[in-house]
Amino acid sequence: MSVPRFLTLNTGCRFPTLGLGTYMLQGDVLKQTLDFALFLGYRHIDTAASYENETEIGEVLGDRIQAGKLSRKDVFITTKIPSTCLRKSDTLESAHKSLSQLKMKNVDMLLIHHPWGQVKRKEGENAPLINNSTGKREIEKVDFIETWTALESLFKDDFTKNIGLSNFTIGQIQRVLSAAQIPPANVQLECHAYYQQQKLKAFCDSNDIALSAYAPIGAVNRPDIHKHNTENLTEDPLIIELSEKYEKTPAQILLNFLLCRGFAVLPKSSSPGRLEENFNALSFELSEEDIKKICTLDRGVRFYNFLYIHHHPEFFENEEF
Ligand SMILES: NC(=O)c1ccc[n+]([C@@H]2O[C@H](COP(=O)([O-])OP(=O)(O)OC[C@H]3O[C@@H](n4cnc5c(N)ncnc54)[C@H](OP(=O)(O)O)[C@@H]3O)[C@@H](O)[C@H]2O)c1
């Protein structure tokens, strides 16, 4: 038994369930990682304008396509509009820049990265402006419905095959749905055994929106993330018990749990061994009973706290997103 390798989006497009996360991957490390991931069979790549790695991704994919080792239609590329580009003109400019860096006519998925508009530090850059006296990000008051309308026009002009959201609450998704001509096909959010997004999952299921999980193995080995939170999902006693039972690694149990629940997963790794390990999370299936056991681990622990933006009126700390 194995889990599905694809979901079908509400546009009819196939969405590979195992994607490669690329946040914090750049330069030669990214190129080697991506090349090996494609060799292993990864066909879904998650990037963002703010990851500043679209050029390298475009180069690796372009080389493989030119060498006849890959067809463009067989690989699913997601990129994202930064929160400093939520105004319509900035959204369009950011999308066109992403396409030019990726050297592609279109991407497969374009997401609004966050609903929290921020002021740019400098024209032509994505980095946000930080207020010198408060140390906080400067808020840009822009309604994300304006951004959504820009995404719809990019969709209609075939610059992207699908459009969606990331880090949006149920209320915010609902607002997009009410204003939309084209509903979101995908919502990307933090999701793992300690933060299971039960309400958001039920809401998106009932609206035919596919979910993809970031930090699916709990962003382990990331001191920057774990300075506010010392919990390590791969060391959880139940996850270790199940890893012994199934003869799989803790990361594979954690990924398979989300795949069984109908999520796409976006693990990041730059280690060849762990890339292969993560990809092989597709090749088995946890029993219903063991899925129920992992469900009991849900405890509202987020690894991405977004402390820099809690003062934004669209930031809802006590809601799932
Ligand atoms: N939409 C958003 O706002 C948002 C936010 C965050 C992330 N994302 C996306 O989601 C992706 C994944 O998130 P993430 O990188 O934070 O979390 P993650 O994939 O849960 O964790 C990545 C960390 O786990 C380690 N790792 C990977 N595979 C492992 C394994 N099998 N066993 C043990 N450790 C393993 C990696 O180290 P090694 O590299 O050394 O293996 C890396 O330090 C990102 O790359 C990005 O594409 C999106």
Side-chain angles (χ1 to χ4, degrees), residues 21-23 46 51 80 113-114 166-167 188 214-222 234 251 266-271 274 277-278 304 306:
T22 68
Y23 179 40
D46 183 68
Y51 299 173
K80 313 185 189 90
H113 205 151
H114 310 98
S166 180
N167 298 302
Q188 186 181 127
Y214 72 72
I217 40 188
V220 280
N221 308 326
R222 288 273 310 278
T234 57
L266 306 169
K268 172 262 166 188
S269 180
S270 53
S271 136
R274 288 190 286 277
E277 176 184 329
N278 296 344
Y304 283 83
F306 300 107

Side-chain angles (χ1 to χ4, degrees), residues 23 26 47-55 79-99 101-102 110-111 113-114 116-130 137-140 147 308-309:
Y23 179 40
Q26 289 176 328
T47 182
S50 62
Y51 299 173
E52 297 185 345
N53 60 14
E54 291 167 312
T55 302
T79 195
K80 313 185 189 90
I81 301 292
S83 44
T84 49
C85 294
L86 297 194
R87 292 201 183 283
K88 182 172 185 182
S89 57
D90 289 333
T91 300
L92 299 179
E93 193 183 321
S94 174
H96 287 293
K97 190 171 171 194
S98 288
L99 288 174
Q101 294 193 333
L102 287 162
L110 188 58
L111 303 176
H113 205 151
H114 310 98
W116 321 304
Q118 297 178 59
V119 177
K120 283 181 192 174
R121 191 169 57 191
K122 243 192 200 169
E123 219 29 67
E125 277 186 15
N126 294 326
L129 180 68
I130 298 171
R137 305 278 179 94
E138 288 288 353
I139 290 169
E140 171 120 79
T147 325
Y308 59 82
I309 201 75

Side-chain angles (χ1 to χ4, degrees), residues 173-239:
I173 302 168
Q174 186 70 70
R175 213 154 80 67
V176 172
L177 281 169
S178 308
Q181 285 179 21
I182 300 157
N186 173 221
V187 167
Q188 186 181 127
L189 35 63
E190 175 169 340
C191 191
H192 43 72
Y194 287 171
Y195 196 76
Q196 296 185 17
Q197 301 273 19
Q198 312 268 11
K199 286 191 209 132
L200 238 154
K201 175 80 170 69
F203 175 81
C204 286
D205 283 352
S206 65
N207 285 285
D208 198 12
I209 302 172
L211 284 176
S212 35
Y214 72 72
I217 40 188
V220 280
N221 308 326
R222 288 273 310 278
D224 54 326
I225 290 282
H226 288 274
K227 75 181 168 207
H228 300 291
N229 193 328
T230 52
E231 306 222 35
N232 185 336
L233 266 177
T234 57
E235 289 171 2
D236 182 277
L238 173 64
I239 300 301

